[in-house]
Amino acid sequence: MTTHNIMLLPGDGIGPEIMAQVRRVMAWVEGAYGVIFNVDEGLIGGCAYDAEGVPLSDETLAKAKASDAIVMGCVGGPKWDGKTDYDKRPEAGLLRLRKDLDLFANLRPAMCFDALADASSLKRDLVAGLDILFVRELAGGVYFGEPRGIEELPGGGRIGINTQRYTDAEIIRISRVAFDMARKRGGRVHSAEKANVMEAGLLWREEVTKLHAEEYSDVKLEHILADNCAMQLVKAPKQFDVILTDNLFGDILSDAAAMLTGSLGMLPSASLGDGGPGLYEPVHGSAPDIAGQGIANPIAAILSFAMALRYSLNMGDAADKVEAAVSEALAQGLRTGDLMSEGMTEVNTEGMGDGILKALG
Ligand code: IPM
Ligand code: MG
């Protein structure tokens, strides 16, 4: 029997609740496909800080590195919001994981399930059939650029500093991912930056243009300013196929796109490097306002696990089945609170898990 080593990192807030439903789906896949998931569980984020003094311990990081896939929940919460030391914040655990494993390619598919087209904040005809893939650079840019910090100014007052920086090599490797993905999809890439005000954006545009001309001229490339991209996403989102963008713009634009699909609770993500395990996590945060109530939407986490099946475990068929089961549960009218609308059946986290498992059969 094939054994896959999975590092499970539930994290903070609703993380453990949604991860419990992922576990159930994992058990189904084991039974249906005759594989074994050898699951190791670790701490990340605020809970890791409380228990181990750091948001991601060396030991957990080493275990994650040695696994076949890392399946994560979410990090952060008001308990740790006051922490001004960025190395100790819950988010630092996640950033360390991304950076240390050099997970530079963050894939964020924003798809609108037909059953949810009415749950979007936009009109049904604008979002029905929506299928965008964000390719977000994840290991560079302003998230990691030096210098950074808060410093005292000589004449009094303080200054906060962060640095946006991208090398040509970093731009080229993420652009390759976007072009390769586009070839398997709609064949179109929009590259979003702010070349009109930032040198890092200008270099981005130049390198994308060059790579495209040299190796990917079969793909249709358009450059778009990131602010215009935000506007176009809410005006006519279906014009996009693949959106290639940097770490910060990708963070912002993918949240906006998430709402088009009905709820932030729907969006999965995969973070991939050059070989080694991928990291799979929902796009949403730890939702402290509803944590512990058992009402969070587990779909983004379950779809993230489906991406793990596809991209790290070579089980594309199982991934298709899980995605179809999510679609089926939604078609049956099951809705967690975040998706609820008239005439639908409101269920809690476990109820949504029940519906998905039932659809899996
Ligand atoms: C995301 C999150 C993270 C980010 C936070 C939790 C550090 O917002 O994955 O989109 O900013 O990248
Ligand atoms: Mg974000």
Side-chain angles (χ1 to χ4, degrees), residues 66-186:
S67 72
D68 297 317
I70 308 158
V71 180
M72 208 194 91
C74 35
V75 295
K79 185 173 174 199
W80 307 281
D81 271 353
K83 225 166 257 321
T84 49
D85 182 350
Y86 275 85
D87 292 347
K88 297 279 156 63
R89 288 183 61 96
E91 292 81 3
L94 174 57
L95 297 179
R96 183 174 184 212
L97 198 56
R98 291 173 177 174
K99 187 73 181 171
D100 211 86
L101 276 74
D102 201 20
L103 302 171
F104 66 91
N106 184 215
L107 310 182
R108 300 191 157 187
M111 284 172 61
C112 186
F113 286 89
D114 196 51
L116 288 187
D118 293 311
S120 170
S121 44
L122 297 193
K123 295 189 192 79
R124 167 176 266 278
D125 59 313
L126 287 181
V127 295
L130 181 81
D131 182 5
I132 301 175
L133 178 69
F134 283 90
V135 177
R136 169 190 177 194
E137 200 291 327
L138 202 65
V142 76
Y143 273 58
F144 301 101
E146 299 280 345
R148 65 182 297 160
I150 299 177
E151 290 167 17
E152 303 286 332
L153 288 169
R158 297 190 303 157
I159 181 169
I161 304 162
N162 291 93
T163 305
Q164 168 77 328
R165 48 175 299 153
Y166 273 108
T167 64
D168 52 357
E170 284 175 312
I171 298 166
I172 291 166
R173 69 175 181 172
I174 190 66
S175 303
R176 243 177 232 297
V177 174
F179 287 131
D180 286 337
M181 285 288 161
R183 276 186 177 156
K184 295 185 208 146
R185 301 169 38 100

Side-chain angles (χ1 to χ4, degrees), residues 98 108 136 143 247-248 250-252 254-255 264 282-285:
R98 291 173 177 174
R108 300 191 157 187
R136 169 190 177 194
Y143 273 58
N247 206 342
L248 182 61
D251 181 44
I252 298 167
S254 62
D255 259 35
L264 193 49
V283 169
H284 63 70

Side-chain angles (χ1 to χ4, degrees), residues 47-72:
C47 61
Y49 177 78
D50 288 349
E52 300 168 341
V54 280
L56 178 71
S57 70
D58 293 344
E59 198 196 334
T60 307
L61 178 62
K63 282 185 185 168
K65 261 188 184 164
S67 72
D68 297 317
I70 308 158
V71 180
M72 208 194 91

Side-chain angles (χ1 to χ4, degrees), residues 6-10 15-31 37-42 71 298 301-302 305 353 357 360:
I6 308 291
M7 187 68 195
L8 210 69
L9 301 170
E17 300 160 46
I18 56 177
M19 230 24 106
Q21 302 311 313
V22 172
R23 284 254 194 184
R24 297 176 69 194
V25 174
M26 288 173 87
W28 179 87
V29 175
E30 285 186 316
F37 294 122
N38 183 11
V39 180
D40 196 350
E41 205 170 306
V71 180
I302 289 171
F305 176 63
L357 281 160
L360 283 168

